[in-house]
């Protein structure tokens, strides 16, 4: 008979993270009942197109989710979940990119800008797009997803979430180098952020996707200042009513650099005739075939 007392003081989270973990029979039966309410809603993805001059059917898709949480549980008397960083910043960035491309020389391939809905409810807008794509996935050159543009100033590095998956890394590196910046892999890869934003649904149907967000080394801010800035977002603002636009504190110089980088990645892809590839070993490679 299993002695429950041997489980005393054990933390299942720690246990299950230990590589040598072996399941322990608890010899307990548990009945659980969950009451749930389902609310159905209709929402829309918004799609815009700038046609290319030579190969109109080949597209580069920029995406950013426009939804957030709306009105929710009040925290310190505030129940409006603004989502200024997550993801009004990305949505504004999407519009800025479209405007910049519209003002520039037309590209050979087409450019598509999709404001996706329902990301916070489980990547719903991008899942819908992946199921009913408007542009042939095989001819969709790449996806550049923007989710949270946020930094305390001009930053040297930029994190690619899901680094090592595809040649999109190389495009980002080249664009970063032009700005005297560099790309880093996600330092928190174990949190599997690659599977937690909309680019994942593009990747699932074989479209090489780039998702880059978060920096740790600045041109004119100390490592400590940046860490404090990032920690403050993670702890005090992320998914809370306090993720609010504040003209006094919002700095856009770093955001501008990131957007210029995304612009240059898209510009290069839009004038090439090759397709970026998934690396061998990537779980998304097979879907491209
Ligand atoms: Zn987001």
């Amino acid at each position: 008979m299993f002695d429950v007392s041997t489980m005393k003081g054990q933390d299942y989270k720690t246990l299950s993270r230990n590589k040598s973990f072996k399941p322990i029979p608890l010899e307990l039966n548990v009945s659980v009942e969950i009451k749930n309410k389902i609310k159905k809603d209709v929402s829309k993805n918004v799609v815009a197109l700038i046609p290319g001059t030579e190969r109109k059917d080949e597209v580069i898709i920029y995406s950013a989710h426009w939804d957030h949480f709306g009105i929710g549980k009040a925290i310190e008397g505030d129940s409006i979940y603004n989502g200024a960083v997550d993801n009004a910043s990305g949505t504004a960035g999407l519009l800025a990119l479209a405007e910049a491309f519209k003002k520039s020389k037309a590209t050979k391939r087409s450019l598509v800008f999709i404001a996706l809905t329902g990301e916070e409810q489980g990547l719903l807008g991008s899942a819908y797009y992946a199921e009913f794509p408007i542009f042939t996935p095989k001819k969709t050159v790449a996806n550049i997803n923007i989710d949270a543009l946020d930094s305390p100033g001009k930053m040297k590095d930029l994190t690619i979430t899901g680094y090592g998956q595809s040649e999109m890394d190389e495009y980002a590196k080249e664009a970063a180098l032009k700005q005297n910046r560099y790309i880093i892999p996600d330092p928190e890869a174990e949190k599997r952020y690659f599977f937690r934003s909309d680019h994942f649904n593009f990747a699932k149907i074989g479209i090489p996707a780039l998702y880059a967000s978060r920096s740790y080394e600045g041109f004119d801010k100390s490592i400590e200042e940046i860490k404090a800035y990032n920690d403050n977002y993670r702890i005090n603002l992320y998914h809370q009513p306090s993720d609010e636009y504040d003209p006094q504190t919002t700095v856009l110089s770093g955001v501008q650099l990131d957007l210029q980088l995304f612009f240059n990645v898209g510009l290069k892809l839009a004038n090439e005739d090759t397709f970026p590839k998934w690396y061998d070993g990537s779980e998304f490679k097979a879907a491209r075939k």
Side-chain angles (χ1 to χ4, degrees):
M1 181 75 177
F2 178 75
D3 181 3
V4 179
S5 65
T6 60
M7 283 298 290
K8 242 187 176 174
Q10 301 267 33
D11 170 4
Y12 78 92
K13 275 188 187 158
T14 321
L15 278 174
S16 60
R17 276 184 198 144
N18 190 337
K19 270 192 181 164
S20 60
F21 172 76
K22 295 256 159 45
I24 307 163
L26 292 178
E27 314 218 351
L28 297 170
N29 292 318
V30 179
S31 299
V32 180
E33 199 183 284
I34 295 172
K35 283 197 179 130
N36 225 336
K37 263 189 198 159
I38 293 173
K39 185 170 162 255
K40 286 194 179 176
D41 260 319
V42 176
S43 186
K44 288 186 165 65
N45 292 332
V46 182
V47 186
L49 167 75
I50 301 179
T53 54
E54 286 178 22
R55 293 184 302 283
K56 291 187 200 303
D57 55 341
E58 295 177 5
V59 303
I60 289 93
I61 297 181
Y62 283 97
S63 62
H65 74 85
W66 66 263
D67 65 298
H68 194 58
F69 293 107
I71 298 170
K73 187 171 155 259
I75 297 179
E76 289 177 18
D78 189 355
S79 60
I80 309 288
Y81 287 67
N82 309 274
V85 168
D86 182 14
N87 188 29
S89 67
T91 313
L94 192 72
L95 294 174
L97 284 167
E99 189 181 11
F101 275 112
K102 198 76 193 152
K103 283 181 183 165
S104 309
K105 188 169 174 269
T107 54
K108 293 176 181 172
R109 285 169 160 159
S110 298
L111 292 152
V112 172
F113 304 86
I114 311 184
L116 293 160
T117 189
E119 193 267 358
E120 304 288 10
Q121 308 302 325
L123 317 183
L124 301 180
S126 54
Y128 183 88
Y129 181 85
E131 207 176 327
F132 307 103
I134 300 171
F135 305 95
T136 315
K138 263 197 155 174
K139 294 203 166 182
T140 300
V141 181
N143 164 238
I144 300 164
N145 186 48
I146 311 167
D147 191 356
L149 294 167
D150 184 32
S151 49
K154 290 188 177 183
M155 307 299 284
K156 288 184 182 173
D157 58 344
L158 182 62
T159 309
I160 291 189
T161 302
Y163 182 87
Q165 289 278 7
S166 79
E167 290 175 352
M168 291 301 285
D169 293 353
E170 295 306 314
Y171 285 83
K173 276 188 205 170
E174 193 188 311
L177 206 61
K178 274 189 193 157
Q179 301 176 317
N180 291 316
R181 302 173 72 200
Y182 60 92
I183 294 296
I184 58 166
D186 190 351
E188 298 180 306
E190 77 283 0
K191 290 189 180 156
R192 299 171 65 80
Y193 284 118
F194 189 78
F195 306 93
R196 289 169 55 181
S197 187
D198 291 311
H199 55 282
F200 176 49
N201 280 321
F202 290 98
K204 279 209 282 197
I205 55 168
I207 300 166
L210 174 69
Y211 174 41
S213 179
R214 289 283 144 206
S215 302
Y216 303 88
E217 192 190 353
F219 282 100
D220 46 26
K221 291 248 174 351
S222 72
I223 297 277
E224 293 74 29
E225 277 175 285
I226 294 153
K227 188 181 180 308
Y229 183 89
N230 286 336
D231 286 351
N232 180 51
Y233 175 73
R234 195 168 41 81
I235 299 161
N236 302 319
L237 309 177
Y238 177 67
H239 286 185
Q240 296 174 48
S242 46
D243 179 7
E244 236 166 10
Y245 174 66
D246 181 351
Q248 302 296 320
T249 55
T250 303
V251 178
L252 292 174
S253 56
V255 168
Q256 193 180 8
L257 270 189
D258 288 351
L259 282 173
Q260 281 162 349
L261 189 151
F262 297 145
F263 177 87
N264 285 326
V265 169
L267 182 67
K268 183 167 198 282
L269 289 163
N271 285 313
E272 281 181 343
D273 49 19
T274 52
F275 285 76
K277 291 180 193 64
W278 292 102
Y279 291 133
D280 289 340
S282 166
E283 60 264 53
F284 305 109
K285 193 182 169 87
R288 192 62 158 168
K289 283 179 184 162

